[in-house]
mmCIF file of all heavy atoms in Angstrom:
data_model
loop_
_atom_site.group_PDB
_atom_site.id
_atom_site.type_symbol
_atom_site.label_atom_id
_atom_site.label_comp_id
_atom_site.label_asym_id
_atom_site.label_seq_id
_atom_site.Cartn_x
_atom_site.Cartn_y
_atom_site.Cartn_z
ATOM 1 N N ARG A 335 93.587 104.473 104.962
ATOM 2 C CA ARG A 335 93.982 103.323 105.784
ATOM 3 C C ARG A 335 95.018 102.465 105.055
ATOM 4 O O ARG A 335 96.006 102.019 105.648
ATOM 5 C CB ARG A 335 92.756 102.473 106.119
ATOM 6 C CG ARG A 335 91.783 103.107 107.106
ATOM 7 C CD ARG A 335 90.638 102.150 107.411
ATOM 8 N NE ARG A 335 89.689 102.717 108.343
ATOM 9 C CZ ARG A 335 89.830 102.714 109.659
ATOM 10 N NH1 ARG A 335 90.904 102.159 110.188
ATOM 11 N NH2 ARG A 335 88.920 103.256 110.447
ATOM 12 N N ASP A 336 94.767 102.229 103.769
ATOM 13 C CA ASP A 336 95.698 101.396 103.009
ATOM 14 C C ASP A 336 97.075 102.039 102.923
ATOM 15 O O ASP A 336 98.102 101.344 103.014
ATOM 16 C CB ASP A 336 95.150 101.160 101.600
ATOM 17 C CG ASP A 336 93.951 100.222 101.596
ATOM 18 O OD1 ASP A 336 93.747 99.515 102.599
ATOM 19 O OD2 ASP A 336 93.209 100.216 100.597
ATOM 20 N N ALA A 337 97.127 103.350 102.745
ATOM 21 C CA ALA A 337 98.424 104.032 102.641
ATOM 22 C C ALA A 337 99.218 103.898 103.935
ATOM 23 O O ALA A 337 100.418 103.600 103.913
ATOM 24 C CB ALA A 337 98.213 105.503 102.288
ATOM 25 N N LEU A 338 98.554 104.112 105.077
ATOM 26 C CA LEU A 338 99.255 103.990 106.359
ATOM 27 C C LEU A 338 99.640 102.541 106.629
ATOM 28 O O LEU A 338 100.751 102.256 107.095
ATOM 29 C CB LEU A 338 98.367 104.526 107.480
ATOM 30 C CG LEU A 338 98.937 104.447 108.903
ATOM 31 C CD1 LEU A 338 100.295 105.130 108.982
ATOM 32 C CD2 LEU A 338 97.967 105.069 109.899
ATOM 33 N N ALA A 339 98.728 101.615 106.324
ATOM 34 C CA ALA A 339 99.038 100.202 106.535
ATOM 35 C C ALA A 339 100.189 99.755 105.639
ATOM 36 O O ALA A 339 101.049 98.968 106.066
ATOM 37 C CB ALA A 339 97.793 99.359 106.273
ATOM 38 N N ASP A 340 100.225 100.235 104.405
ATOM 39 C CA ASP A 340 101.328 99.882 103.507
ATOM 40 C C ASP A 340 102.667 100.383 104.049
ATOM 41 O O ASP A 340 103.696 99.714 103.905
ATOM 42 C CB ASP A 340 101.085 100.471 102.114
ATOM 43 C CG ASP A 340 99.948 99.776 101.382
ATOM 44 O OD1 ASP A 340 99.539 98.688 101.815
ATOM 45 O OD2 ASP A 340 99.447 100.351 100.387
ATOM 46 N N ALA A 341 102.660 101.569 104.661
ATOM 47 C CA ALA A 341 103.896 102.095 105.247
ATOM 48 C C ALA A 341 104.376 101.205 106.396
ATOM 49 O O ALA A 341 105.569 100.886 106.494
ATOM 50 C CB ALA A 341 103.677 103.520 105.728
ATOM 51 N N LEU A 342 103.452 100.801 107.263
ATOM 52 C CA LEU A 342 103.833 99.931 108.375
ATOM 53 C C LEU A 342 104.268 98.556 107.870
ATOM 54 O O LEU A 342 105.222 97.962 108.395
ATOM 55 C CB LEU A 342 102.665 99.791 109.347
ATOM 56 C CG LEU A 342 102.267 101.062 110.096
ATOM 57 C CD1 LEU A 342 101.019 100.826 110.930
ATOM 58 C CD2 LEU A 342 103.405 101.548 110.987
ATOM 59 N N THR A 343 103.593 98.041 106.853
ATOM 60 C CA THR A 343 103.981 96.749 106.283
ATOM 61 C C THR A 343 105.371 96.823 105.663
ATOM 62 O O THR A 343 106.168 95.885 105.793
ATOM 63 C CB THR A 343 102.957 96.312 105.229
ATOM 64 O OG1 THR A 343 101.666 96.199 105.844
ATOM 65 C CG2 THR A 343 103.328 94.978 104.625
ATOM 66 N N ALA A 344 105.670 97.929 104.981
ATOM 67 C CA ALA A 344 107.002 98.099 104.395
ATOM 68 C C ALA A 344 108.076 98.114 105.478
ATOM 69 O O ALA A 344 109.156 97.538 105.306
ATOM 70 C CB ALA A 344 107.051 99.386 103.580
ATOM 71 N N GLU A 345 107.791 98.749 106.604
ATOM 72 C CA GLU A 345 108.770 98.764 107.690
ATOM 73 C C GLU A 345 108.892 97.393 108.352
ATOM 74 O O GLU A 345 109.982 97.009 108.798
ATOM 75 C CB GLU A 345 108.381 99.822 108.715
ATOM 76 C CG GLU A 345 108.557 101.243 108.182
ATOM 77 C CD GLU A 345 108.510 102.281 109.277
ATOM 78 O OE1 GLU A 345 107.739 102.077 110.229
ATOM 79 O OE2 GLU A 345 109.231 103.287 109.169
ATOM 80 N N ALA A 346 107.789 96.654 108.420
ATOM 81 C CA ALA A 346 107.868 95.293 108.945
ATOM 82 C C ALA A 346 108.754 94.430 108.057
ATOM 83 O O ALA A 346 109.602 93.661 108.541
ATOM 84 C CB ALA A 346 106.468 94.698 109.060
ATOM 85 N N ASP A 347 108.575 94.543 106.758
ATOM 86 C CA ASP A 347 109.420 93.802 105.818
ATOM 87 C C ASP A 347 110.873 94.253 105.927
ATOM 88 O O ASP A 347 111.796 93.435 105.845
ATOM 89 C CB ASP A 347 108.898 94.009 104.402
ATOM 90 C CG ASP A 347 109.776 93.332 103.358
ATOM 91 O OD1 ASP A 347 109.803 92.096 103.311
ATOM 92 O OD2 ASP A 347 110.450 94.061 102.590
ATOM 93 N N TYR A 348 111.081 95.556 106.132
ATOM 94 C CA TYR A 348 112.432 96.090 106.298
ATOM 95 C C TYR A 348 113.103 95.495 107.536
ATOM 96 O O TYR A 348 114.278 95.100 107.490
ATOM 97 C CB TYR A 348 112.346 97.605 106.416
ATOM 98 C CG TYR A 348 113.666 98.328 106.533
ATOM 99 C CD1 TYR A 348 114.692 98.112 105.634
ATOM 100 C CD2 TYR A 348 113.867 99.267 107.545
ATOM 101 C CE1 TYR A 348 115.895 98.787 105.729
ATOM 102 C CE2 TYR A 348 115.063 99.956 107.650
ATOM 103 C CZ TYR A 348 116.078 99.709 106.739
ATOM 104 O OH TYR A 348 117.259 100.394 106.845
ATOM 105 N N ALA A 349 112.353 95.397 108.634
ATOM 106 C CA ALA A 349 112.918 94.813 109.854
ATOM 107 C C ALA A 349 113.333 93.365 109.625
ATOM 108 O O ALA A 349 114.398 92.929 110.096
ATOM 109 C CB ALA A 349 111.890 94.907 110.985
ATOM 110 N N ARG A 350 112.527 92.612 108.898
ATOM 111 C CA ARG A 350 112.883 91.213 108.652
ATOM 112 C C ARG A 350 114.082 91.103 107.714
ATOM 113 O O ARG A 350 114.932 90.211 107.891
ATOM 114 C CB ARG A 350 111.671 90.472 108.071
ATOM 115 C CG ARG A 350 110.588 90.174 109.111
ATOM 116 C CD ARG A 350 109.497 89.294 108.530
ATOM 117 N NE ARG A 350 108.656 90.055 107.621
ATOM 118 C CZ ARG A 350 107.541 90.687 108.000
ATOM 119 N NH1 ARG A 350 107.164 90.654 109.269
ATOM 120 N NH2 ARG A 350 106.823 91.352 107.123
ATOM 121 N N ARG A 351 114.182 91.975 106.732
ATOM 122 C CA ARG A 351 115.336 91.931 105.831
ATOM 123 C C ARG A 351 116.618 92.323 106.551
ATOM 124 O O ARG A 351 117.703 91.824 106.225
ATOM 125 C CB ARG A 351 115.097 92.846 104.631
ATOM 126 C CG ARG A 351 114.075 92.275 103.647
ATOM 127 C CD ARG A 351 113.995 93.079 102.362
ATOM 128 N NE ARG A 351 113.402 94.391 102.559
ATOM 129 C CZ ARG A 351 114.028 95.533 102.392
ATOM 130 N NH1 ARG A 351 115.296 95.543 102.017
ATOM 131 N NH2 ARG A 351 113.412 96.689 102.592
ATOM 132 N N LEU A 352 116.515 93.218 107.528
ATOM 133 C CA LEU A 352 117.701 93.622 108.288
ATOM 134 C C LEU A 352 118.283 92.477 109.113
ATOM 135 O O LEU A 352 119.461 92.521 109.484
ATOM 136 C CB LEU A 352 117.360 94.798 109.208
ATOM 137 C CG LEU A 352 117.158 96.154 108.533
ATOM 138 C CD1 LEU A 352 116.678 97.180 109.543
ATOM 139 C CD2 LEU A 352 118.450 96.637 107.875
ATOM 140 N N ARG A 353 117.499 91.486 109.407
ATOM 141 C CA ARG A 353 118.020 90.335 110.153
ATOM 142 C C ARG A 353 119.117 89.633 109.368
ATOM 143 O O ARG A 353 120.066 89.107 109.950
ATOM 144 C CB ARG A 353 116.895 89.342 110.450
ATOM 145 C CG ARG A 353 115.772 89.896 111.312
ATOM 146 C CD ARG A 353 114.704 88.844 111.533
ATOM 147 N NE ARG A 353 115.232 87.705 112.258
ATOM 148 C CZ ARG A 353 114.806 86.460 112.120
ATOM 149 N NH1 ARG A 353 113.855 86.195 111.240
ATOM 150 N NH2 ARG A 353 115.330 85.484 112.836
ATOM 151 N N HIS A 354 118.983 89.597 108.047
ATOM 152 C CA HIS A 354 119.935 88.876 107.200
ATOM 153 C C HIS A 354 120.883 89.810 106.460
ATOM 154 O O HIS A 354 121.979 89.389 106.081
ATOM 155 C CB HIS A 354 119.166 88.023 106.189
ATOM 156 C CG HIS A 354 118.093 87.180 106.805
ATOM 157 N ND1 HIS A 354 118.371 86.085 107.590
ATOM 158 C CD2 HIS A 354 116.730 87.295 106.775
ATOM 159 C CE1 HIS A 354 117.235 85.541 108.020
ATOM 160 N NE2 HIS A 354 116.229 86.256 107.540
ATOM 161 N N ASP A 355 120.465 91.051 106.252
ATOM 162 C CA ASP A 355 121.301 92.020 105.532
ATOM 163 C C ASP A 355 121.269 93.338 106.299
ATOM 164 O O ASP A 355 120.345 94.133 106.136
ATOM 165 C CB ASP A 355 120.782 92.212 104.114
ATOM 166 C CG ASP A 355 121.621 93.223 103.325
ATOM 167 O OD1 ASP A 355 122.707 93.606 103.817
ATOM 168 O OD2 ASP A 355 121.189 93.626 102.224
ATOM 169 N N PRO A 356 122.264 93.594 107.152
ATOM 170 C CA PRO A 356 122.255 94.825 107.951
ATOM 171 C C PRO A 356 122.286 96.101 107.128
ATOM 172 O O PRO A 356 121.977 97.174 107.640
ATOM 173 C CB PRO A 356 123.519 94.702 108.821
ATOM 174 C CG PRO A 356 123.851 93.249 108.823
ATOM 175 C CD PRO A 356 123.408 92.738 107.494
ATOM 176 N N HIS A 357 122.663 95.996 105.837
ATOM 177 C CA HIS A 357 122.717 97.168 104.974
ATOM 178 C C HIS A 357 121.556 97.206 103.982
ATOM 179 O O HIS A 357 121.638 97.876 102.944
ATOM 180 C CB HIS A 357 124.043 97.209 104.201
ATOM 181 C CG HIS A 357 125.252 97.223 105.085
ATOM 182 N ND1 HIS A 357 126.027 96.103 105.289
ATOM 183 C CD2 HIS A 357 125.811 98.200 105.826
ATOM 184 C CE1 HIS A 357 127.023 96.395 106.119
ATOM 185 N NE2 HIS A 357 126.916 97.663 106.450
ATOM 186 N N ALA A 358 120.487 96.502 104.258
ATOM 187 C CA ALA A 358 119.354 96.433 103.337
ATOM 188 C C ALA A 358 118.823 97.829 103.027
ATOM 189 O O ALA A 358 118.770 98.704 103.900
ATOM 190 C CB ALA A 358 118.247 95.573 103.931
ATOM 191 N N ASP A 359 118.437 98.010 101.772
ATOM 192 C CA ASP A 359 117.911 99.300 101.335
ATOM 193 C C ASP A 359 116.424 99.381 101.669
ATOM 194 O O ASP A 359 115.738 98.367 101.817
ATOM 195 C CB ASP A 359 118.123 99.478 99.837
ATOM 196 C CG ASP A 359 117.843 100.898 99.377
ATOM 197 O OD1 ASP A 359 117.914 101.813 100.216
ATOM 198 O OD2 ASP A 359 117.527 101.086 98.194
ATOM 199 N N PHE A 360 115.940 100.603 101.779
ATOM 200 C CA PHE A 360 114.522 100.841 102.072
ATOM 201 C C PHE A 360 114.031 101.928 101.139
ATOM 202 O O PHE A 360 114.587 103.030 101.103
ATOM 203 C CB PHE A 360 114.339 101.272 103.532
ATOM 204 C CG PHE A 360 112.896 101.539 103.902
ATOM 205 C CD1 PHE A 360 112.064 100.499 104.278
ATOM 206 C CD2 PHE A 360 112.377 102.820 103.873
ATOM 207 C CE1 PHE A 360 110.740 100.734 104.614
ATOM 208 C CE2 PHE A 360 111.064 103.074 104.211
ATOM 209 C CZ PHE A 360 110.239 102.018 104.582
ATOM 210 N N ASP A 361 112.984 101.613 100.380
ATOM 211 C CA ASP A 361 112.388 102.596 99.480
ATOM 212 C C ASP A 361 111.399 103.436 100.286
ATOM 213 O O ASP A 361 110.418 102.901 100.820
ATOM 214 C CB ASP A 361 111.671 101.891 98.338
ATOM 215 C CG ASP A 361 111.191 102.870 97.271
ATOM 216 O OD1 ASP A 361 111.255 104.090 97.516
ATOM 217 O OD2 ASP A 361 110.754 102.413 96.200
ATOM 218 N N PRO A 362 111.627 104.751 100.387
ATOM 219 C CA PRO A 362 110.750 105.577 101.228
ATOM 220 C C PRO A 362 109.399 105.881 100.597
ATOM 221 O O PRO A 362 108.598 106.601 101.196
ATOM 222 C CB PRO A 362 111.562 106.863 101.415
ATOM 223 C CG PRO A 362 112.388 106.967 100.178
ATOM 224 C CD PRO A 362 112.729 105.550 99.803
ATOM 225 N N GLU A 363 109.112 105.349 99.403
ATOM 226 C CA GLU A 363 107.866 105.699 98.731
ATOM 227 C C GLU A 363 106.624 105.408 99.577
ATOM 228 O O GLU A 363 105.704 106.234 99.617
ATOM 229 C CB GLU A 363 107.792 104.970 97.387
ATOM 230 C CG GLU A 363 106.730 105.506 96.442
ATOM 231 C CD GLU A 363 105.355 104.955 96.719
ATOM 232 O OE1 GLU A 363 105.275 103.828 97.256
ATOM 233 O OE2 GLU A 363 104.356 105.640 96.432
ATOM 234 N N PRO A 364 106.532 104.244 100.285
ATOM 235 C CA PRO A 364 105.343 104.038 101.136
ATOM 236 C C PRO A 364 105.192 105.085 102.230
ATOM 237 O O PRO A 364 104.066 105.511 102.533
ATOM 238 C CB PRO A 364 105.572 102.640 101.724
ATOM 239 C CG PRO A 364 106.481 101.956 100.761
ATOM 240 C CD PRO A 364 107.374 103.035 100.239
ATOM 241 N N LEU A 365 106.288 105.526 102.823
ATOM 242 C CA LEU A 365 106.206 106.569 103.842
ATOM 243 C C LEU A 365 105.772 107.895 103.234
ATOM 244 O O LEU A 365 105.003 108.653 103.844
ATOM 245 C CB LEU A 365 107.558 106.728 104.540
ATOM 246 C CG LEU A 365 108.010 105.572 105.444
ATOM 247 C CD1 LEU A 365 109.394 105.856 106.002
ATOM 248 C CD2 LEU A 365 107.028 105.352 106.583
ATOM 249 N N MET A 366 106.239 108.176 102.028
ATOM 250 C CA MET A 366 105.835 109.416 101.366
ATOM 251 C C MET A 366 104.357 109.369 100.986
ATOM 252 O O MET A 366 103.640 110.366 101.101
ATOM 253 C CB MET A 366 106.697 109.651 100.134
ATOM 254 C CG MET A 366 108.173 109.838 100.447
ATOM 255 S SD MET A 366 109.172 110.069 98.975
ATOM 256 C CE MET A 366 108.614 111.674 98.435
ATOM 257 N N ALA A 367 103.889 108.193 100.538
ATOM 258 C CA ALA A 367 102.464 108.061 100.224
ATOM 259 C C ALA A 367 101.621 108.227 101.481
ATOM 260 O O ALA A 367 100.550 108.851 101.454
ATOM 261 C CB ALA A 367 102.199 106.703 99.572
ATOM 262 N N ALA A 368 102.106 107.679 102.608
ATOM 263 C CA ALA A 368 101.365 107.828 103.860
ATOM 264 C C ALA A 368 101.324 109.286 104.302
ATOM 265 O O ALA A 368 100.306 109.757 104.829
ATOM 266 C CB ALA A 368 102.008 106.961 104.943
ATOM 267 N N ARG A 369 102.418 110.005 104.101
ATOM 268 C CA ARG A 369 102.413 111.424 104.447
ATOM 269 C C ARG A 369 101.453 112.194 103.539
ATOM 270 O O ARG A 369 100.731 113.085 104.006
ATOM 271 C CB ARG A 369 103.825 111.998 104.311
ATOM 272 C CG ARG A 369 103.901 113.498 104.591
ATOM 273 C CD ARG A 369 105.314 114.026 104.454
ATOM 274 N NE ARG A 369 105.334 115.473 104.559
ATOM 275 C CZ ARG A 369 105.308 116.161 105.695
ATOM 276 N NH1 ARG A 369 105.238 115.524 106.834
ATOM 277 N NH2 ARG A 369 105.337 117.477 105.689
#
Side-chain angles (χ1 to χ4, degrees):
R335 289 183 180 277
D336 289 343
L338 179 55
D340 289 345
L342 294 175
T343 300
E345 290 194 325
D347 177 69
Y348 183 52
R350 286 187 286 268
R351 287 189 291 115
L352 287 174
R353 298 179 63 211
H354 310 289
D355 180 11
H357 302 103
D359 191 23
F360 180 84
D361 188 350
E363 195 277 333
L365 291 177
M366 297 178 69
R369 177 180 173 81

